[in-house]
Every structure is written in structure tokens, then in C-alpha cells.
Amino acid sequence: MPLQQWILLNIPTWVIATVMLAIAMGTAVGGVLLVRRLVDIRKFKEHHDIAGPIFSTIGVIYAVMLAFVLVIVWQDFDRAQNNTVREANYFAQIYRDTVGLPEPFRSQFLEANANYIDAVIKYEWPQMQRGDRSIEAQAAADKVWEVTGRFDPKNYREQIFFSEILRNMNEAVEMRRQRLQDAGSGLHPSLWFVLLFGGIITVVFTFFFGSKNLYAQLTMTTLLAVLIVLILFTILIMDCPYSGDLSIPVTPFQQVLEYYKP
């Protein structure tokens, strides 16, 4: 389990945000005051003509990297959410296509699918928060394919409906594989190190400017640190789409289950 996933599972989101903001504000204020205490600000002013362009370059590089990671994580979250809806929709289409199947196979097939969807809701969704798959859901899925494999279309009408059902079933299987992959993945630790270390460098660099107005420098440094932390917090809570308070809900599957169990 990735560290960020463990954090989202074991610590409330508001606590994470509060701690991150407290660390950012404490570091910004404490750093500026410490540097001012140890070094005369007049020495900093002698290097403003060099420090200014360097800080601008650092800020642009870090901002581009931060924005790029945020966009990628946001897109991955949105894709995972869309895939979840698509997977549920495939089961809705499967239900509608069963009108062309004979009894008793139709009832057996619907029951097997209902049991699978129910297992996804009850067992797999909670386990996905830890990046795991459900043994119960997998067993229910195997049962669906076992029931499906016993059917032999007797006429062209049944063959057409059954072919469409198989196509939707294969699409749903692909969506499930992608869902389980998204549940257990996240940003690589090395990328998190770069993001955190880059943020520290950017904020610490502001400590070495000799502003006459101490409160103005404290305010600007604190606001910069808070902005960086807010973006990092957004990346954190969206990095694992099925974990934490912002996790993708199981609602689409619950809605589809109503078709199978009216």
C-alpha cells in the first residue's frame, strides 16, 4: 500500500489539511524570523539583483512541474470516475439485452450478475480503499461466466442478443481490471520527493530577501507556502481515487443493482 493511501485511510482529510497548513505556516514564519535573527538583512540586499532572477527561474520551474502533476492526477481521477460509471452502465445494458434470452437461463443469469454486483458493493469497494481486490467479488464473477458458458443459442434471435451480452460482459471485465489497477496505483515516491523538496527549496529561498518591512515578507512567504501546500493537498487526495473522503462512490453500481433486484 502506498504511503499516501495509508494516510488517506487512517487520517481524516480535515486533519491532513490542518497539519499540512500548520507545518507550512510554521516553517514560513519560523524560517524568516530565524534567518533575520542570524543574518543582517543589509547583506541580503547586496545580492537582490542576482537572487531575484534566480528565484523567478526556480518559481517557474517548480510551478510548471506542480501544475503538470496536478493536471495528470486530476485527469486520472476523472478517468477512473468515468470508467466506474461505464462499468456500471455495461451491466445495465446486459440487463436490457436479456429480454431476448429464454427461461430458465435468463433468471439464472440475472441472479448470477446480481450476486456479482452485490459482492462488488459489499466487499470489493471497501477493499479497494486499501488497493486490494475482493475474493468474494472474483468468485461471483467466475460464477457469472460459468452460467454464461452453459448457454447454447437455439435460433438467430437468441444468438444476436447473446452476442451483444458477451460484448458488454467483456467490456465490463476490462473496466474492472482498470478499476482495480487505479485503486492500487499512485504517484511514485520519487515524484513525491521531488514535489516536496521542490516546495521546500522555493519557500526557503524567500527567507534570504532583505525586505525592510518584516511583516510584509512574513505575509508573502506564508502565502506562498500555503498556496504550495494547498496544491500538494489536492494532489494527495486525488492521487488514490478510491481512498479517502474524496473517493469515487459506489453509487452507479447501487443504481444498477436495482434493475436486477427490483
Side-chain angles (χ1 to χ4, degrees):
M1 179 188 300
L3 177 60
Q4 62 268 30
Q5 196 169 37
W6 183 92
I7 292 174
L8 292 173
L9 282 176
N10 294 277
I11 305 176
T13 302
W14 70 270
V15 175
I16 298 174
T18 302
V19 171
M20 291 179 67
L21 288 173
I23 292 175
M25 296 173 68
T27 301
V29 174
V32 171
L33 294 178
L34 179 62
V35 171
R36 285 292 188 102
R37 185 185 183 112
L38 297 178
V39 184
D40 189 349
I41 63 170
R42 289 175 294 183
K43 295 183 179 180
F44 293 149
K45 293 182 180 181
E46 299 174 359
H47 307 291
H48 278 187
D49 55 339
I50 299 177
I54 294 176
F55 179 70
S56 298
T57 303
I58 292 175
V60 169
I61 293 174
Y62 184 67
V64 170
M65 180 181 63
L66 204 59
F68 178 76
V69 174
L70 177 61
V71 169
I72 294 299
V73 171
W74 201 314
Q75 289 177 341
D76 288 344
F77 184 91
D78 188 60
R79 176 180 52 81
Q81 192 170 35
N82 290 335
N83 287 345
T84 298
V85 175
R86 287 178 60 193
E87 182 182 357
N89 287 341
Y90 283 128
F91 285 100
Q93 295 173 20
I94 290 171
Y95 176 83
R96 289 195 296 267
D97 290 335
T98 58
V99 296
L101 301 181
E103 294 290 355
F105 172 77
R106 181 177 184 271
S107 297
Q108 296 171 355
F109 180 74
L110 289 177
E111 182 182 2
N113 276 276
N115 291 336
Y116 167 71
I117 298 173
D118 192 54
V120 170
I121 296 172
K122 290 182 178 179
Y123 303 108
E124 190 155 73
W125 223 261
Q127 293 190 27
M128 281 170 54
Q129 294 187 10
R130 301 187 295 271
D132 299 330
R133 68 177 62 203
S134 168
I135 298 177
E136 294 84 357
Q138 185 60 53
D142 294 339
K143 181 63 177 179
V144 172
W145 284 102
E146 179 185 340
V147 172
T148 305
R150 295 200 299 261
F151 181 66
D152 184 19
K154 302 300 182 183
N155 52 55
Y156 183 71
R157 178 176 179 272
E158 292 179 0
Q159 183 178 356
I160 291 298
F161 277 98
F162 189 63
S163 297
E164 188 66 16
I165 288 173
L166 287 179
R167 184 185 68 81
N168 287 323
M169 287 178 63
N170 285 318
E171 292 290 349
V173 169
E174 181 61 29
M175 291 297 99
R176 179 174 184 256
R177 291 196 188 102
Q178 186 61 56
R179 170 165 55 81
L180 294 175
Q181 176 65 30
D182 293 338
S185 61
L187 291 179
H188 195 274
S190 60
L191 187 54
W192 272 112
F193 172 79
V194 173
L195 291 175
L196 293 173
F197 195 64
I200 292 173
I201 291 176
T202 304
V203 174
V204 169
F205 205 96
T206 63
F207 297 169
F208 301 95
F209 284 92
S211 174
K212 291 183 179 180
N213 191 327
L214 173 61
Y215 297 104
Q217 185 173 358
L218 286 173
T219 301
M220 290 185 290
T221 302
T222 301
L223 291 177
L224 175 62
V226 167
L227 177 61
I228 292 175
V229 162
L230 287 177
I231 297 176
L232 291 176
F233 172 74
T234 304
I235 294 175
L236 174 64
I237 61 176
M238 301 187 74
D239 188 26
C240 301
Y242 296 97
S243 304
D245 295 338
L246 197 65
S247 61
I248 297 173
V250 72
T251 307
F253 285 90
Q254 293 172 334
Q255 294 172 345
V256 170
L257 187 60
E258 295 177 359
Y259 289 106
Y260 290 84
K261 291 183 177 181

